């Protein structure tokens, strides 16, 4: 697509429910990143994909968080048994490839998650 | 572990003023540094990217510099306008991660 697309744009859920957030990167971008931004805070790195594999999962906050990417394209971030502290904006970015000095990240508009 | 710090956290200036935003990072083993703009409730827009071999980049009224050895970057905004009001984020890339600073919240008064 022309840009990075994220859905849903807004999600309100009850504590304990599972949620799935989707990211559709720019066509041809092999690198995909998930970040979390809590209210008034900076961006917290969650996970990075190169193709379908995730060399670095160190940013995932707990084992309730998981992510996958299929076909080197769409990625899904799943949060199980949501907690109120999971409330944040989840941002996805893609780039041509990691490890390049010219690697420019293009961000989606984000998915705002509110856990009641 | 890479840490990125941005100073000041917030800045309010009158329209027309030139201003400098600062970014520092602890690990100089980076391959690029990017400055982003974030408007309230929106995603991030890339403003400038400086590769590790470069010292500065310019785009319109924006100029970003990079001193990798000292772990510093500055974003210079000339002749500021109310439309420049936003949060400006600095991000450094190395290894598998791009690490962000907490941002500088800029308000330009008309």
């Amino acid at each position: 697509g022309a840009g990075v697309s994220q859905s849903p744009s807004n999600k309100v859920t009850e504590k304990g429910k599972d949620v799935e957030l989707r990211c559709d990167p720019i066509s041809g971008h092999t690198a995909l990143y998930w970040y979390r931004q809590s209210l008034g805070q900076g961006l917290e790195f969650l996970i990075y994909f190169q193709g379908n594999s995730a060399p670095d999962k160190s940013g995932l906050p707990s084992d309730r968080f998981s992510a996958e990417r299929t076909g080197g394209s769409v990625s899904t971030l799943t949060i199980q048994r949501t907690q109120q502290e999971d409330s944040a904006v989840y941002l996805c970015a893609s780039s041509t490839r990691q490890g390049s000095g010219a690697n420019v990240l293009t961000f989606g508009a984000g998915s705002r998650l509110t856990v009641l | 572990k890479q840490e990125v710090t941005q100073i000041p956290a917030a800045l309010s200036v009158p329209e027309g003023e030139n201003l400098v935003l600062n970014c520092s990072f602890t690990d100089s083993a980076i391959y690029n540094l990017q400055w982003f703009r974030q408007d309230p409730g929106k995603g991030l827009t890339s403003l400038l990217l400086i590769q590790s071999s470069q010292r500065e980049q310019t785009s319109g009224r924006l100029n970003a510099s990079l001193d990798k050895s000292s772990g510093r970057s500055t974003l210079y905004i000339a002749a500021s306008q109310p439309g420049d009001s936003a949060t400006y984020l600095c991000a450094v890339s190395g290894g598998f991660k791009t690490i962000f600073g907490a941002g500088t919240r800029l308000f330009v008064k008309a």
Side-chain angles (χ1 to χ4, degrees), chain A residues 33 35 37 40-43 45 48 55-56 58-59 91 98-110 112, chain B residues 31-32 34 36 38 41-46 49-52 89 93-103 105:
Chain A
Y33 312 77
Y35 289 85
Q37 187 173 34
Q41 303 297 310
L43 271 71
F45 170 81
Y48 150 73
D56 189 347
S58 63
L91 290 160
Q98 181 71 357
S100 161
N103 191 43
V104 177
L105 270 64
T106 301
F107 278 84
R112 181 178 299 277
Chain B
Y31 48 78
N32 70 39
Q34 298 180 65
F36 291 85
Q38 186 175 31
K42 301 290 178 64
L44 277 69
T45 301
S46 180
L49 177 145
I50 311 176
Q51 299 188 46
S52 62
L89 294 155
S93 294
F96 294 122
K97 292 181 181 178
T98 296
I99 304 298
F100 282 78
R105 202 165 54 253

Side-chain angles (χ1 to χ4, degrees), chain A residues 1-6 23-29 73 92-96 104-109, chain B residues 44:
Chain A
V4 178
S5 178
Q6 291 188 247
C23 174
D24 197 347
I26 291 173
S27 179
H29 279 194
S73 181
C92 175
S94 69
S95 68
T96 50
V104 177
L105 270 64
T106 301
F107 278 84
Chain B
L44 277 69

